[in-house]
Amino acid sequence: MVKICCIGAGYVGGPTMAVIALKCPKIEVVVVDISVSRITAWNSDQLPIYEPGLEDVVKECRGRNLFFSTDVEKHVAEADIVFVSVNTPTKTTGLGAGKAADLTYWESAARMIADVSKSDKIVVEKSTVPVKTAEAIEKILTHNSKGIKYQILSNPEFLAEGTAIQDLFNPDRVLIGGRETPEGLKAVQSLKEVYAQWVPEDQILTTNLWSAELSKLAANAFLAQRISSVNAMSALCEATGADVTEVAYAVGKDTRIGSKFLNASVGFGGSCFQKDILNLVYICECNGLPEVAEYWKQVIKVNDYQKTRFVNRVVASMFNTVSNKKIAVLGFAFKKDTGDTRETPAIDVCKGLLGDKARLSIYDPQVTEDQIQRDLTMKKFDWDHPIHLQPTSPTTVKQVSVVWDAYEATKDAHAVCILTEWDEFKKLDYKRIFDNMQKPAFVFDGRNIVNADELRQIGFIVYSIGKPLDPWLKDMPAVA
Ligand code: NAD
Ligand code: UGA
């Protein structure tokens, strides 16, 4: 029986390994982590992450050929294939701070593999890493090898949160990079055989190591770039009376462009787009390519501009002040169907409104009060470190209350900001909400999910990203 061990039981390690265990009943899969609370949760009925379909997969395999453990060293020592799926945050201090990837967790995982291994192993980079990381890992392993042979593979993950299980069941492609030596090719083949249990062979791409590592950064950069492109257009639409949904539809009809990932929004969030682009920018700079670095940096700048623009719209529309006004925030997660708040645009928008002294009443169906308070008090980039290393925040933001119902959040509010596209926000009784709000009552739709005409009929003043402006908003221009 082949034994797989995955270091890192996070958003990637957990679901990915659960699907491998489901599809390959003859493989024993153990997911290990230094976080005791995470492993305890994986072994309980309350999984540590919310992901549609995940619970069913875990329930079917856990205890059969899928195990979660904190005994990292034992399971790494026993494994034939070791996946490394630890976090790779942006560095906060020292060389490359604010841009370069912090490979502390990766390096300590690699050193631990070297320490405990007693048999040859295939080590698979699952985390998103800078190009050439495999070379660094190889050096750590071979300099401490005690005669053990290692093959390093790059097998980046392309799943998106909220659809992780579907993405893993039917991936657009699986990418495996390896050394072009007989041993390297053999290792690639071994990993290919795992995925071939359920993925058609022509969708399993094999490349050299550096192409696989770079393809992951490139794919995220291209995806984020599409959002910044449509968001940049949304500003121009508001200025000209064009409708960004119509423009995106017309543009996306061109088969060379395609229709997906063209939804204008308050900005993209999530743990990876910003981190991976900053990392790409840093790699370009280190390779003497400042123009290329500048090009990709612009994707982040437009995303920041979009969040600032949204806050300015809110404040400008409400007589240029939100001081002491109650603003209901609907949605805090970075997208629907996840409880993940990492780099969610809601953090910057809420901080912007708090900077103007607003009182916020926040409701998200999947995010806890504790998480929201931590997010609003934490410094940039600190979130991507294990919880025990995160600075504790003894203070809470007093102007923020977190409630468990959209109607409670909007009661007596002056404005509603929709920051996550949860389906339930489309179905709310907006007449009831309007009746219980201060007047004039505003809706700022950062996800373009409400029917603005219907809400205007009720009496709301409505702002939708990239749509023709309400006459009220035209009279109160926001300076970005
Ligand atoms: P995560 O923070 O949810 O999980 C990482 C886990 O690794 C944590 O539980 C942490 O405790 C553990 N860990 C860190 N060092 C360890 C060590 N030495 N030994 C054992 N455990 C250790 O992160 P994630 O979202 O799963 O992302 C992991 C990687 O995958 C990142 O590089 C990310 O860029 C990439 N990625 C993420 C996604 C996503 O949707 N979240 C998608 C594709 C790729
Ligand atoms: C993204 C990629 O889609 C995955 O392929 C990749 O594996 C992953 O990053 C990663 O490396 O972590 P994820 O961040 O989970 O996945 O979610 P997305 O669906 O890509 O959404 C990212 C952000 O963009 C969200 O805030 C979402 O609301 C926003 N978005 C997305 C838009 O504003 N408009 C769109 O048209 C699409």
Side-chain angles (χ1 to χ4, degrees), residues 12 128 157-163 167 173 216 219-220 223-224 226-227 230-231 260-273 275-276 303 333-336 340 342-345 419 421 447:
V12 169
T128 304
E157 184 49 59
F158 296 99
L159 67 79
E161 286 175 34
T163 54
D167 294 343
R173 77 309 210 180
K216 173 63 196 176
N220 272 359
L223 287 167
R226 276 176 82 88
I227 304 168
V230 77
N231 281 345
K260 292 183 183 164
F261 242 70
L262 285 179
N263 294 322
S265 66
V266 60
F268 60 75
S271 61
C272 294
F273 280 174
K275 160 177 87 71
D276 292 348
N303 198 47
F334 82 99
K335 61 190 269 196
K336 72 170 182 176
D340 193 352
R342 297 179 293 178
E343 287 295 343
T344 174
L419 301 185
E421 72 283 20
R447 297 289 184 169

Side-chain angles (χ1 to χ4, degrees), residues 103-115 123 132-146 148 150 152:
L103 293 179
T104 314
Y105 304 104
W106 232 109
E107 185 174 335
S108 81
R111 287 184 185 278
M112 186 269 299
I113 296 171
D115 277 352
V123 177
K132 295 275 174 180
T133 299
E135 198 168 64
I137 301 309
E138 220 167 43
K139 282 186 183 143
I140 291 173
L141 292 173
T142 48
H143 278 82
N144 297 281
S145 80
K146 301 168 284 190
I148 292 162
Y150 297 99
I152 321 292

